[in-house]
mmCIF file of all heavy atoms in Angstrom:
data_model
loop_
_atom_site.group_PDB
_atom_site.id
_atom_site.type_symbol
_atom_site.label_atom_id
_atom_site.label_comp_id
_atom_site.label_asym_id
_atom_site.label_seq_id
_atom_site.Cartn_x
_atom_site.Cartn_y
_atom_site.Cartn_z
ATOM 1 N N GLU I 15 -5.083 -14.769 3.399
ATOM 2 C CA GLU I 15 -5.843 -14.337 4.640
ATOM 3 C C GLU I 15 -7.306 -14.664 4.469
ATOM 4 O O GLU I 15 -7.965 -15.173 5.400
ATOM 5 C CB GLU I 15 -5.589 -12.862 4.893
ATOM 6 C CG GLU I 15 -6.276 -12.324 6.160
ATOM 7 C CD GLU I 15 -6.052 -10.840 6.326
ATOM 8 O OE1 GLU I 15 -5.270 -10.222 5.626
ATOM 9 O OE2 GLU I 15 -6.719 -10.287 7.257
ATOM 10 N N GLN I 16 -7.862 -14.323 3.293
ATOM 11 C CA GLN I 16 -9.286 -14.608 3.038
ATOM 12 C C GLN I 16 -9.506 -16.123 3.035
ATOM 13 O O GLN I 16 -10.537 -16.604 3.529
ATOM 14 C CB GLN I 16 -9.654 -13.978 1.635
ATOM 15 C CG GLN I 16 -9.568 -12.496 1.560
ATOM 16 C CD GLN I 16 -10.572 -11.847 2.489
ATOM 17 O OE1 GLN I 16 -11.720 -12.326 2.636
ATOM 18 N NE2 GLN I 16 -10.214 -10.689 3.097
ATOM 19 N N VAL I 17 -8.603 -16.823 2.464
ATOM 20 C CA VAL I 17 -8.751 -18.312 2.393
ATOM 21 C C VAL I 17 -8.814 -18.857 3.761
ATOM 22 O O VAL I 17 -9.679 -19.745 4.108
ATOM 23 C CB VAL I 17 -7.592 -18.989 1.589
ATOM 24 C CG1 VAL I 17 -7.670 -20.476 1.648
ATOM 25 C CG2 VAL I 17 -7.664 -18.488 0.118
ATOM 26 N N VAL I 18 -7.874 -18.500 4.624
ATOM 27 C CA VAL I 18 -7.813 -19.142 5.984
ATOM 28 C C VAL I 18 -9.044 -18.715 6.791
ATOM 29 O O VAL I 18 -9.592 -19.468 7.563
ATOM 30 C CB VAL I 18 -6.488 -18.623 6.689
ATOM 31 C CG1 VAL I 18 -6.580 -19.014 8.161
ATOM 32 C CG2 VAL I 18 -5.268 -19.226 5.985
ATOM 33 N N ASN I 19 -9.506 -17.461 6.655
ATOM 34 C CA ASN I 19 -10.595 -16.967 7.503
ATOM 35 C C ASN I 19 -11.953 -17.453 7.108
ATOM 36 O O ASN I 19 -12.881 -17.363 7.823
ATOM 37 C CB ASN I 19 -10.596 -15.396 7.482
ATOM 38 C CG ASN I 19 -9.387 -14.814 8.265
ATOM 39 O OD1 ASN I 19 -8.865 -15.497 9.115
ATOM 40 N ND2 ASN I 19 -9.029 -13.590 7.864
ATOM 41 N N CYS I 20 -12.044 -18.013 5.857
ATOM 42 C CA CYS I 20 -13.394 -18.454 5.412
ATOM 43 C C CYS I 20 -13.873 -19.669 6.186
ATOM 44 O O CYS I 20 -15.119 -19.955 6.287
ATOM 45 C CB CYS I 20 -13.443 -18.652 3.943
ATOM 46 S SG CYS I 20 -12.687 -20.163 3.363
ATOM 47 N N LYS I 21 -13.023 -20.471 6.720
ATOM 48 C CA LYS I 21 -13.313 -21.588 7.618
ATOM 49 C C LYS I 21 -14.125 -22.686 6.916
ATOM 50 O O LYS I 21 -14.616 -23.618 7.530
ATOM 51 C CB LYS I 21 -14.031 -21.145 8.841
ATOM 52 C CG LYS I 21 -13.308 -20.112 9.685
ATOM 53 C CD LYS I 21 -12.003 -20.609 10.221
ATOM 54 C CE LYS I 21 -11.331 -19.654 11.081
ATOM 55 N NZ LYS I 21 -9.990 -20.070 11.582
ATOM 56 N N ASP I 22 -14.285 -22.654 5.577
ATOM 57 C CA ASP I 22 -15.070 -23.631 4.877
ATOM 58 C C ASP I 22 -14.056 -24.565 4.180
ATOM 59 O O ASP I 22 -13.325 -24.077 3.292
ATOM 60 C CB ASP I 22 -16.062 -23.003 3.872
ATOM 61 C CG ASP I 22 -16.878 -24.060 3.189
ATOM 62 O OD1 ASP I 22 -16.409 -24.509 2.110
ATOM 63 O OD2 ASP I 22 -17.950 -24.395 3.683
ATOM 64 N N ASP I 23 -14.063 -25.833 4.467
ATOM 65 C CA ASP I 23 -13.026 -26.735 3.889
ATOM 66 C C ASP I 23 -13.113 -26.881 2.367
ATOM 67 O O ASP I 23 -12.158 -26.877 1.719
ATOM 68 C CB ASP I 23 -13.110 -28.105 4.583
ATOM 69 C CG ASP I 23 -14.500 -28.734 4.463
ATOM 70 O OD1 ASP I 23 -15.419 -28.091 4.001
ATOM 71 O OD2 ASP I 23 -14.649 -29.946 4.846
ATOM 72 N N LEU I 24 -14.316 -26.953 1.877
ATOM 73 C CA LEU I 24 -14.493 -26.998 0.389
ATOM 74 C C LEU I 24 -13.947 -25.819 -0.293
ATOM 75 O O LEU I 24 -13.243 -25.833 -1.331
ATOM 76 C CB LEU I 24 -15.981 -27.267 0.020
ATOM 77 C CG LEU I 24 -16.256 -27.616 -1.406
ATOM 78 C CD1 LEU I 24 -15.521 -28.914 -1.850
ATOM 79 C CD2 LEU I 24 -17.735 -27.809 -1.656
ATOM 80 N N ALA I 25 -14.338 -24.585 0.269
ATOM 81 C CA ALA I 25 -13.930 -23.312 -0.282
ATOM 82 C C ALA I 25 -12.353 -23.167 -0.214
ATOM 83 O O ALA I 25 -11.690 -22.731 -1.125
ATOM 84 C CB ALA I 25 -14.622 -22.194 0.385
ATOM 85 N N GLN I 26 -11.845 -23.579 0.953
ATOM 86 C CA GLN I 26 -10.384 -23.431 1.158
ATOM 87 C C GLN I 26 -9.643 -24.255 0.089
ATOM 88 O O GLN I 26 -8.726 -23.853 -0.475
ATOM 89 C CB GLN I 26 -9.989 -23.893 2.531
ATOM 90 C CG GLN I 26 -10.437 -22.891 3.625
ATOM 91 C CD GLN I 26 -9.997 -23.332 5.000
ATOM 92 O OE1 GLN I 26 -9.820 -24.507 5.280
ATOM 93 N NE2 GLN I 26 -9.857 -22.371 5.906
ATOM 94 N N TYR I 27 -10.139 -25.554 -0.065
ATOM 95 C CA TYR I 27 -9.466 -26.374 -1.072
ATOM 96 C C TYR I 27 -9.526 -25.816 -2.481
ATOM 97 O O TYR I 27 -8.525 -25.745 -3.183
ATOM 98 C CB TYR I 27 -10.081 -27.775 -1.029
ATOM 99 C CG TYR I 27 -9.561 -28.686 -2.138
ATOM 100 C CD1 TYR I 27 -8.339 -29.374 -1.979
ATOM 101 C CD2 TYR I 27 -10.274 -28.886 -3.338
ATOM 102 C CE1 TYR I 27 -7.821 -30.235 -2.944
ATOM 103 C CE2 TYR I 27 -9.742 -29.745 -4.288
ATOM 104 C CZ TYR I 27 -8.528 -30.391 -4.078
ATOM 105 O OH TYR I 27 -8.008 -31.167 -5.072
ATOM 106 N N TYR I 28 -10.697 -25.311 -2.818
ATOM 107 C CA TYR I 28 -10.909 -24.749 -4.208
ATOM 108 C C TYR I 28 -10.087 -23.497 -4.428
ATOM 109 O O TYR I 28 -9.424 -23.347 -5.461
ATOM 110 C CB TYR I 28 -12.397 -24.382 -4.409
ATOM 111 C CG TYR I 28 -12.720 -23.701 -5.670
ATOM 112 C CD1 TYR I 28 -12.606 -24.352 -6.890
ATOM 113 C CD2 TYR I 28 -13.040 -22.371 -5.692
ATOM 114 C CE1 TYR I 28 -12.884 -23.699 -8.090
ATOM 115 C CE2 TYR I 28 -13.230 -21.688 -6.864
ATOM 116 C CZ TYR I 28 -13.166 -22.389 -8.102
ATOM 117 O OH TYR I 28 -13.416 -21.691 -9.240
ATOM 118 N N LEU I 29 -10.012 -22.597 -3.394
ATOM 119 C CA LEU I 29 -9.249 -21.355 -3.562
ATOM 120 C C LEU I 29 -7.741 -21.623 -3.599
ATOM 121 O O LEU I 29 -7.036 -20.978 -4.356
ATOM 122 C CB LEU I 29 -9.613 -20.447 -2.390
ATOM 123 C CG LEU I 29 -11.069 -19.880 -2.439
ATOM 124 C CD1 LEU I 29 -11.397 -19.158 -1.155
ATOM 125 C CD2 LEU I 29 -11.203 -18.886 -3.625
ATOM 126 N N MET I 30 -7.242 -22.553 -2.801
ATOM 127 C CA MET I 30 -5.828 -22.914 -2.794
ATOM 128 C C MET I 30 -5.421 -23.520 -4.139
ATOM 129 O O MET I 30 -4.372 -23.188 -4.704
ATOM 130 C CB MET I 30 -5.497 -23.918 -1.719
ATOM 131 C CG MET I 30 -5.537 -23.298 -0.293
ATOM 132 S SD MET I 30 -4.310 -22.028 -0.026
ATOM 133 C CE MET I 30 -2.800 -22.945 -0.059
ATOM 134 N N GLU I 31 -6.390 -24.346 -4.725
ATOM 135 C CA GLU I 31 -6.123 -24.897 -6.049
ATOM 136 C C GLU I 31 -6.054 -23.797 -7.097
ATOM 137 O O GLU I 31 -5.271 -23.833 -8.045
ATOM 138 C CB GLU I 31 -7.216 -25.927 -6.388
ATOM 139 C CG GLU I 31 -6.946 -26.708 -7.625
ATOM 140 C CD GLU I 31 -8.025 -27.760 -7.841
ATOM 141 O OE1 GLU I 31 -9.215 -27.517 -7.525
ATOM 142 O OE2 GLU I 31 -7.745 -28.820 -8.435
ATOM 143 N N CYS I 32 -6.964 -22.826 -6.977
ATOM 144 C CA CYS I 32 -7.014 -21.698 -7.906
ATOM 145 C C CYS I 32 -5.653 -20.937 -7.851
ATOM 146 O O CYS I 32 -5.077 -20.504 -8.928
ATOM 147 C CB CYS I 32 -8.134 -20.767 -7.600
ATOM 148 S SG CYS I 32 -9.763 -21.403 -8.033
ATOM 149 N N ILE I 33 -5.180 -20.686 -6.650
ATOM 150 C CA ILE I 33 -3.912 -19.934 -6.529
ATOM 151 C C ILE I 33 -2.802 -20.676 -7.284
ATOM 152 O O ILE I 33 -2.006 -20.096 -8.024
ATOM 153 C CB ILE I 33 -3.588 -19.766 -5.041
ATOM 154 C CG1 ILE I 33 -4.563 -18.797 -4.345
ATOM 155 C CG2 ILE I 33 -2.123 -19.180 -4.869
ATOM 156 C CD1 ILE I 33 -4.389 -18.781 -2.849
ATOM 157 N N ILE I 34 -2.694 -22.001 -7.065
ATOM 158 C CA ILE I 34 -1.674 -22.813 -7.637
ATOM 159 C C ILE I 34 -1.779 -22.825 -9.182
ATOM 160 O O ILE I 34 -0.780 -22.704 -9.935
ATOM 161 C CB ILE I 34 -1.625 -24.179 -7.035
ATOM 162 C CG1 ILE I 34 -1.204 -24.142 -5.611
ATOM 163 C CG2 ILE I 34 -0.790 -25.136 -7.862
ATOM 164 C CD1 ILE I 34 -1.375 -25.402 -4.827
ATOM 165 N N GLN I 35 -3.010 -22.899 -9.681
ATOM 166 C CA GLN I 35 -3.201 -23.040 -11.103
ATOM 167 C C GLN I 35 -3.125 -21.781 -11.899
ATOM 168 O O GLN I 35 -2.751 -21.778 -13.015
ATOM 169 C CB GLN I 35 -4.543 -23.756 -11.381
ATOM 170 C CG GLN I 35 -4.662 -25.183 -10.856
ATOM 171 C CD GLN I 35 -3.652 -26.103 -11.408
ATOM 172 O OE1 GLN I 35 -3.103 -25.934 -12.536
ATOM 173 N NE2 GLN I 35 -3.303 -27.179 -10.669
ATOM 174 N N VAL I 36 -3.514 -20.614 -11.204
ATOM 175 C CA VAL I 36 -3.663 -19.395 -11.926
ATOM 176 C C VAL I 36 -2.378 -18.626 -12.068
ATOM 177 O O VAL I 36 -2.009 -18.058 -13.087
ATOM 178 C CB VAL I 36 -4.765 -18.459 -11.261
ATOM 179 C CG1 VAL I 36 -4.750 -17.121 -11.844
ATOM 180 C CG2 VAL I 36 -6.116 -19.160 -11.437
ATOM 181 N N PHE I 37 -1.616 -18.546 -10.979
ATOM 182 C CA PHE I 37 -0.393 -17.663 -11.005
ATOM 183 C C PHE I 37 0.778 -18.432 -11.560
ATOM 184 O O PHE I 37 0.893 -19.607 -11.529
ATOM 185 C CB PHE I 37 -0.089 -17.202 -9.515
ATOM 186 C CG PHE I 37 -1.098 -16.217 -9.068
ATOM 187 C CD1 PHE I 37 -2.108 -16.651 -8.155
ATOM 188 C CD2 PHE I 37 -1.121 -14.840 -9.498
ATOM 189 C CE1 PHE I 37 -3.041 -15.684 -7.710
ATOM 190 C CE2 PHE I 37 -2.072 -14.003 -8.993
ATOM 191 C CZ PHE I 37 -3.123 -14.395 -8.113
ATOM 192 N N PRO I 38 1.778 -17.664 -12.148
ATOM 193 C CA PRO I 38 2.954 -18.300 -12.863
ATOM 194 C C PRO I 38 3.785 -19.105 -11.935
ATOM 195 O O PRO I 38 3.842 -18.829 -10.725
ATOM 196 C CB PRO I 38 3.624 -17.113 -13.435
ATOM 197 C CG PRO I 38 2.630 -15.975 -13.411
ATOM 198 C CD PRO I 38 1.772 -16.215 -12.227
ATOM 199 N N ASP I 39 4.542 -20.068 -12.568
ATOM 200 C CA ASP I 39 5.445 -20.962 -11.802
ATOM 201 C C ASP I 39 6.494 -20.191 -11.019
ATOM 202 O O ASP I 39 6.798 -20.501 -9.907
ATOM 203 C CB ASP I 39 6.057 -21.944 -12.702
ATOM 204 C CG ASP I 39 5.024 -22.858 -13.402
ATOM 205 O OD1 ASP I 39 4.133 -23.312 -12.676
ATOM 206 O OD2 ASP I 39 5.148 -23.106 -14.604
ATOM 207 N N ASP I 40 7.078 -19.172 -11.728
ATOM 208 C CA ASP I 40 8.132 -18.465 -11.047
ATOM 209 C C ASP I 40 7.656 -17.696 -9.886
ATOM 210 O O ASP I 40 8.387 -17.350 -8.924
ATOM 211 C CB ASP I 40 8.878 -17.546 -12.051
ATOM 212 C CG ASP I 40 8.005 -16.626 -12.761
ATOM 213 O OD1 ASP I 40 6.765 -16.921 -12.829
ATOM 214 O OD2 ASP I 40 8.463 -15.548 -13.327
ATOM 215 N N TYR I 41 6.365 -17.258 -9.898
ATOM 216 C CA TYR I 41 5.766 -16.570 -8.655
ATOM 217 C C TYR I 41 5.778 -17.540 -7.506
ATOM 218 O O TYR I 41 6.096 -17.200 -6.376
ATOM 219 C CB TYR I 41 4.351 -16.078 -9.027
ATOM 220 C CG TYR I 41 4.253 -14.816 -9.838
ATOM 221 C CD1 TYR I 41 5.221 -14.491 -10.702
ATOM 222 C CD2 TYR I 41 3.139 -13.975 -9.631
ATOM 223 C CE1 TYR I 41 5.115 -13.285 -11.496
ATOM 224 C CE2 TYR I 41 3.081 -12.744 -10.331
ATOM 225 C CZ TYR I 41 4.019 -12.419 -11.301
ATOM 226 O OH TYR I 41 3.891 -11.279 -12.010
ATOM 227 N N HIS I 42 5.280 -18.758 -7.821
ATOM 228 C CA HIS I 42 5.256 -19.778 -6.713
ATOM 229 C C HIS I 42 6.624 -20.067 -6.141
ATOM 230 O O HIS I 42 6.811 -20.206 -4.987
ATOM 231 C CB HIS I 42 4.670 -21.107 -7.229
ATOM 232 C CG HIS I 42 3.195 -20.940 -7.686
ATOM 233 N ND1 HIS I 42 2.320 -20.224 -6.944
ATOM 234 C CD2 HIS I 42 2.532 -21.479 -8.732
ATOM 235 C CE1 HIS I 42 1.110 -20.309 -7.552
ATOM 236 N NE2 HIS I 42 1.204 -21.042 -8.609
ATOM 237 N N LEU I 43 7.585 -20.129 -7.070
ATOM 238 C CA LEU I 43 8.965 -20.499 -6.612
ATOM 239 C C LEU I 43 9.497 -19.431 -5.638
ATOM 240 O O LEU I 43 10.225 -19.769 -4.645
ATOM 241 C CB LEU I 43 9.899 -20.561 -7.843
ATOM 242 C CG LEU I 43 11.322 -21.085 -7.576
ATOM 243 C CD1 LEU I 43 11.315 -22.504 -6.980
ATOM 244 C CD2 LEU I 43 12.094 -21.085 -8.920
#
């Protein structure tokens, strides 16, 4: 929700990358 609402393309890309890299694989699955 925070990522979508920030409306900044650079921030959105960085935060989405953080989510993917930080949390475990089985969480993503």
Side-chain angles (χ1 to χ4, degrees):
E15 182 182 351
Q16 295 295 323
V17 172
V18 171
N19 289 337
C20 78
K21 304 297 184 184
D22 181 271
D23 55 355
L24 189 60
Q26 287 181 336
Y27 175 79
Y28 174 71
L29 292 171
M30 289 297 289
E31 188 177 34
C32 286
I33 293 172
I34 291 171
Q35 297 299 336
V36 169
F37 291 102
D39 298 315
D40 54 339
Y41 280 32
H42 295 319
L43 187 59

